[in-house]
Amino acid sequence: MEARKAFQFAHSLDPSNLQIVIDLADLQVQTRDYEGFYKSRNKLLQQRSGNTAFWMGFVVGAFLTKSYDVCIDIIQTFRSGTPCTPSYMTQELYFIEAECHAQKKEFAAAAEVLQAGMPFILDEDKAREKEALYRGYAGDLAGSEALWLRLMEQNRDNLLYVRGLEGCALGSIAGIEAPEAASDWTHEE
C-alpha cells in the first residue's frame, strides 16, 4: 500500500516519466489491484501506442478485470493496426479473444475466432482442442466430434480426446476438462 502511494506521488511530480507508470503497473498486478493495473496500462498505451508490450499489458488488464467486451475490442483494434503473421503473440491474442467469448458463454463465437485465426496460430493442436470444446459447449456436437476425431488421428492416447468423443456420443461434453472427474487408476486412494 505504501509503495503504491510512493509511486503515485512520484508520478504526480514527474508525469512524463513512463518508467514510474511501468513500475506502478507491475506493483499493481503483483498486489492483485487489477483495476489499477488496467488504468496504468491504459495510460502507458495512450503515451506510446506503438509499443506492442503496452498493448499486451492493456489486453491482460482488461481480461483480469473481466471487461471481456473491452478486451475483445482492444485485440481487434491492435490486430487491425498491425500486420498479422504467425507468432506466439498473435496466437495468444486469438486464444485470449476466444476465451473472452467463452467467459461470456458465447461458445460459437469463441470457436469461430479460433477457426479464423488458425493460419496465424502456431500450436494448432491446442487451438483445435479449444475449438472442439467450444463447439461442444455451443451444441455443435457434430463439429466437435469431427475435431476430436482429427486430433485422435495424431494422438490416440490423449484422455481429453477420448473423453471429448465420449461426450459427443453421449450428447454433452460438460465436465470433460476436469481431470478429477475421470476415474484415475494411477493414483492410490
Side-chain angles (χ1 to χ4, degrees), residues 134-151:
Y134 296 149
R135 289 202 183 284
Y137 292 141
D140 178 10
L141 294 177
S144 181
E145 181 179 12
L147 287 163
W148 292 123
L149 286 169
R150 186 172 177 182
L151 288 163

Side-chain angles (χ1 to χ4, degrees), residues 85-184:
T85 58
S87 69
Y88 287 110
M89 182 182 69
T90 304
Q91 167 184 288
E92 293 307 315
L93 288 174
Y94 276 105
F95 285 161
I96 292 170
E97 184 179 355
E99 186 60 27
C100 286
H101 284 292
Q103 290 295 319
K104 295 171 28 177
K105 307 290 187 227
E106 298 171 350
F107 298 113
E112 293 304 319
V113 164
L114 291 176
Q115 188 175 40
M118 202 58 81
F120 309 106
I121 293 174
L122 300 176
D123 188 350
E124 292 181 13
D125 289 345
K126 179 55 81 181
R128 283 193 183 94
E129 286 175 18
K130 289 180 171 290
E131 185 183 351
L133 287 167
Y134 296 149
R135 289 202 183 284
Y137 292 141
D140 178 10
L141 294 177
S144 181
E145 181 179 12
L147 287 163
W148 292 123
L149 286 169
R150 186 172 177 182
L151 288 163
M152 284 283 289
E153 289 174 6
Q154 296 173 7
N155 184 355
R156 295 196 177 280
D157 296 328
N158 188 310
L159 182 60
L160 179 63
Y161 303 170
V162 173
R163 295 187 72 210
L165 281 172
E166 288 175 346
C168 289
L170 295 172
S172 173
I173 64 163
I176 69 164
E177 291 178 281
E180 63 275 1
S183 68
D184 187 356

Side-chain angles (χ1 to χ4, degrees), residues 4 20 32 45 60 62 73 78 84 91 100 110 117 136 151 166:
R4 189 176 336 149
I20 293 171
R32 294 193 169 118
L45 187 59
V60 170
D73 287 343
F78 176 76
C84 208
Q91 167 184 288
C100 286
L151 288 163
E166 288 175 346

